[in-house]
Amino acid sequence: MKISIKVKFSLFLLTLLLLTVFLLRMFILRGIRENQKIEYESYLKQQTVLSEAYLRQSFLASSELLPEVFLKENAEILTKDLLSYTGLETALFSLEGALLSPRKETLNEETLKELLPHALEGSTLYRARGNDLFYLTPLSLENHRVGILAFYYSLRNENSFYESTASRFLYVGGAVFLVTFLIAYLYFRSYAIDILHLNRSVEKIESGTYDFPVSGRSDEIGSLSRGVFHMGQKIRTTLDNMREEERKLQEAVEKLEILQKQQKEFIGAVTHEFKTPLTSIRAYLDLLSMYPEDEALLKKALSAIEEDTERLYDMVEKSLELSKLEHYAPQAALTSLPLHEVVEEVIHSLKGKMEKFGLSLRKDMEEVHILGDREALIITLSNLLDNAIKYNRPQGKIHLKVYRKDDVGIFYLEDTGIGIPENLSQRIFDPFYTVDKNRSRETGGVGLGLSLAMKYTELQGGKLRLLSSSKEGTAFELSFPIAPESNEKSDS
């Protein structure tokens, strides 16, 4: 038969409290008895000393020279005086064991006969029977043992106190037992309830239910309850993850189909972008074959073929760079770089292009050292600045800023270009995507510059963001972690 933990706790408490009350009663009553014994032994010793002092004083005050004779002749008077002096019934015996004082009912002769031989040998002893205590001790006067002094001491008060204490302890102990048992039962009942809740929680986990109340206790049971709850949550998470993996596997085919579609679109975009300049080149070649003597046509054809060739070369180079980044995951060699100097280098390389389009440049640059890869950083900056030039308005403006903000070095680029519609701002970093196809063909743009810039920025652990875009222009922000030695200098 399965016994509930509540019943086990109750039986254990009952046994424990009964044993505690019994042992407590036993030790307390024993302590009372021992304390009484110490008190009346000390009291009787004290009375012995006082009695000997009184007898010595009486002997010295008498004319008798022999203490034995004095004790024998004055025994009756001396016992009466000792009774009034000590408050105890007293008897005097000679060294031969003869009773010198008058017989008294309180002095039990049988008990005295048992104790007297030991007292005559020089021992102090007593015997307690019921409410009576008989105390015998050798009596000495002038350093000579002259007899035996016997006291009768009533234990009625001590026994009465002992019995009343035992009786009270029984009632009080019973009441304390009941109250303690009730309090302990209520206290341990909360433990039992929490343990039963834990058991039910485990059963819920077994049945697949993972939501159940958690104990608010701050002890081990509360910790166990929270542990069971977290275990259940982990089991649920594991099962959810398994279901999620199963769902992902089911979606794998759909994703593969989407990837195939995207691949076809990418190939189509590449084919289209390559086909456009090739078609233009072929058309001019056909015209030249038809009109080889036309100088104006030749001049125009050479210029157009040169532009289309540069566009094809740029497209191939950037496509290869993008493919390398996507498929080979190169590692960046991160070192401390002076961002302001690299920006100046890129500006110098594109200065001729800016002058060609009649653009004005404003620079606000601080000395900032970042953690980056020099070649990757040049490619990133070149593509961003090249886009700002190609898609700017005639006689437009470009504003550059290099500065430090907290632990980040920032390159800010703003132009007065054609802008990017808000609904297209999320796609500008996609390969071969251009906002204005006609403008891209005019300027030689292929839609790979921002894709490369984003890839190379992420390769270096930086961030590239489109801050704003409108008809008045576009603003980008490029940020990189500050180089460690730069932090040390700023701290010092």
Side-chain angles (χ1 to χ4, degrees):
M1 183 178 67
K2 187 177 179 180
I3 301 176
S4 170
I5 193 169
K6 286 185 180 181
V7 177
K8 291 181 179 178
F9 266 138
S10 300
L11 292 175
F12 173 75
L13 283 173
L14 184 65
T15 305
L16 181 63
L17 289 173
L18 282 174
L19 181 62
T20 302
V21 171
F22 172 76
L23 292 175
L24 193 61
R25 179 179 182 275
M26 182 179 70
F27 285 117
I28 288 177
L29 293 178
R30 180 179 292 179
I32 291 173
R33 187 63 85 188
E34 291 293 332
N35 187 60
Q36 288 178 343
K37 180 180 178 182
I38 292 170
E39 287 183 355
Y40 63 64
E41 283 182 353
S42 175
Y43 176 74
L44 291 172
K45 287 179 181 178
Q46 184 181 7
Q47 296 305 317
T48 300
V49 172
L50 292 174
S51 298
E52 286 185 346
Y54 171 74
L55 292 175
R56 186 181 302 108
Q57 185 178 0
S58 299
F59 171 68
L60 293 174
S62 67
S63 58
E64 185 59 53
L65 298 177
L66 296 174
E68 294 87 348
V69 177
F70 168 76
L71 187 64
K72 184 176 181 181
E73 291 179 350
N74 298 284
E76 183 175 356
I77 297 173
L78 292 173
T79 53
K80 288 181 181 180
D81 291 342
L82 287 175
L83 174 61
S84 60
Y85 190 66
T86 62
L88 299 175
E89 293 286 350
T90 310
L92 295 171
F93 292 88
S94 64
L95 291 176
E96 292 77 20
L99 180 62
L100 301 178
S101 59
R103 296 182 181 277
K104 297 179 180 178
E105 294 181 0
T106 54
L107 297 172
N108 190 294
E109 293 186 11
E110 293 181 3
T111 303
L112 293 175
K113 287 180 180 180
E114 294 176 8
L115 300 177
L116 191 58
H118 300 286
L120 292 173
E121 292 176 0
S123 300
T124 298
L125 66 163
Y126 66 88
R127 177 170 294 174
R129 286 184 177 177
N131 292 328
D132 301 327
L133 184 144
F134 303 98
Y135 181 89
L136 280 76
T137 183
L139 178 61
S140 298
L141 291 176
E142 298 299 322
N143 297 324
H144 293 287
R145 196 165 63 178
V146 296
I148 303 297
L149 176 63
F151 290 127
Y152 167 75
Y153 182 78
S154 177
L155 296 174
R156 189 179 304 277
N157 292 335
E158 284 79 356
N159 290 337
S160 176
F161 175 76
Y162 179 85
E163 291 172 1
S164 63
T165 302
S167 177
R168 289 173 184 170
F169 194 89
L170 183 63
Y171 296 123
V172 173
V176 170
F177 167 76
L178 291 175
V179 173
T180 306
F181 176 77
L182 180 61
I183 295 173
Y185 173 77
L186 294 175
Y187 178 74
F188 282 105
R189 181 173 176 271
S190 64
Y191 282 91
I193 290 173
D194 283 336
I195 292 172
L196 292 175
H197 284 164
L198 280 174
N199 186 55
R200 282 193 284 271
S201 299
V202 173
E203 292 175 353
K204 285 184 177 181
I205 292 175
E206 290 177 353
S207 64
T209 303
Y210 306 101
D211 291 321
F212 45 83
V214 181
S215 174
R217 305 177 72 99
S218 58
D219 54 12
E220 288 79 2
I221 292 180
S223 177
L224 180 60
S225 176
R226 290 187 289 274
V228 171
F229 176 78
H230 291 313
M231 180 184 67
Q233 297 304 309
K234 286 184 179 179
I235 292 173
R236 177 163 65 180
T237 302
T238 302
L239 292 176
D240 290 343
N241 290 339
M242 291 174 64
R243 296 189 188 98
E244 180 65 18
E245 290 299 323
E246 184 179 357
R247 185 186 63 79
K248 288 180 180 178
L249 287 173
Q250 290 174 353
E251 293 176 353
V253 175
E254 297 176 6
K255 288 187 176 181
L256 285 174
E257 293 176 354
I258 294 172
L259 287 173
Q260 288 177 353
K261 183 180 179 181
Q262 291 176 346
Q263 185 179 19
K264 289 179 181 179
E265 291 177 353
F266 180 79
I267 293 172
V270 172
T271 303
H272 177 75
E273 293 297 333
F274 273 82
K275 187 177 180 180
T276 300
L278 286 173
T279 301
S280 175
I281 293 171
R282 184 173 180 178
Y284 276 110
L285 290 174
D286 289 342
L287 287 172
L288 287 173
S289 64
M290 292 173 62
Y291 307 101
E293 303 300 330
D294 192 338
E295 293 292 334
L297 176 62
L298 178 61
K299 187 176 180 181
K300 184 178 179 181
L302 287 175
S303 176
I305 289 172
E306 184 181 2
E307 287 180 3
D308 286 336
T309 303
E310 287 181 1
R311 185 181 178 198
L312 280 171
Y313 181 80
D314 185 52
M315 193 185 307
V316 170
E317 188 178 45
K318 288 183 177 179
S319 296
L320 290 174
E321 284 291 331
L322 190 62
S323 177
K324 181 179 71 173
L325 290 174
E326 289 182 344
H327 294 91
Y328 297 101
Q331 298 294 320
L334 300 180
T335 57
S336 176
L337 297 175
L339 179 59
H340 54 292
E341 293 182 5
V342 179
V343 171
E344 287 285 5
E345 183 179 334
V346 172
I347 292 172
H348 181 73
S349 67
L350 293 172
K351 187 176 181 180
K353 200 169 186 178
M354 282 189 284
E355 291 176 352
K356 176 183 176 181
F357 287 97
L359 303 177
S360 62
L361 176 66
R362 182 162 65 93
K363 299 181 293 182
D364 296 309
M365 294 200 291
E366 300 176 6
E367 183 178 340
V368 178
H369 289 77
I370 62 165
L371 197 62
D373 183 290
R374 184 176 184 83
E375 294 303 320
L377 181 60
I378 290 174
I379 292 172
T380 302
L381 294 172
S382 297
N383 278 286
L384 288 173
L385 189 54
D386 186 57
N387 266 20
I389 295 170
K390 288 189 296 187
Y391 296 103
N392 214 320
R393 302 180 189 278
Q395 309 303 316
K397 299 178 181 179
I398 296 175
H399 181 204
L400 299 180
K401 286 200 296 184
V402 175
Y403 61 98
R404 173 174 177 168
K405 184 178 180 181
D406 297 329
D407 293 332
V408 177
I410 295 176
F411 168 75
Y412 174 83
L413 171 63
E414 183 181 2
D415 61 47
T416 56
I418 60 176
I420 301 169
E422 186 176 352
N423 60 330
L424 301 178
S425 61
Q426 298 299 320
R427 297 194 59 192
I428 60 172
F429 296 106
D430 294 343
F432 293 104
Y433 183 80
T434 56
V435 176
D436 189 338
K437 300 290 183 182
N438 295 328
R439 182 67 181 269
S440 297
R441 292 190 183 99
E442 290 175 5
T443 58
V446 296
L448 292 174
L450 289 178
S451 297
L452 283 172
M454 177 61 78
K455 294 290 184 183
Y456 274 110
T457 300
E458 293 175 346
L459 182 67
Q460 300 171 84
K463 293 180 181 179
L464 174 59
R465 294 191 301 152
L466 172 64
L467 291 182
S468 62
S469 183
S470 64
K471 294 181 179 180
E472 285 73 32
T474 305
F476 286 92
E477 182 185 86
L478 183 65
S479 60
F480 294 97
I482 290 293
E485 59 267 25
S486 182
N487 275 328
E488 291 176 5
K489 290 178 181 179
S490 63
D491 290 341
S492 60

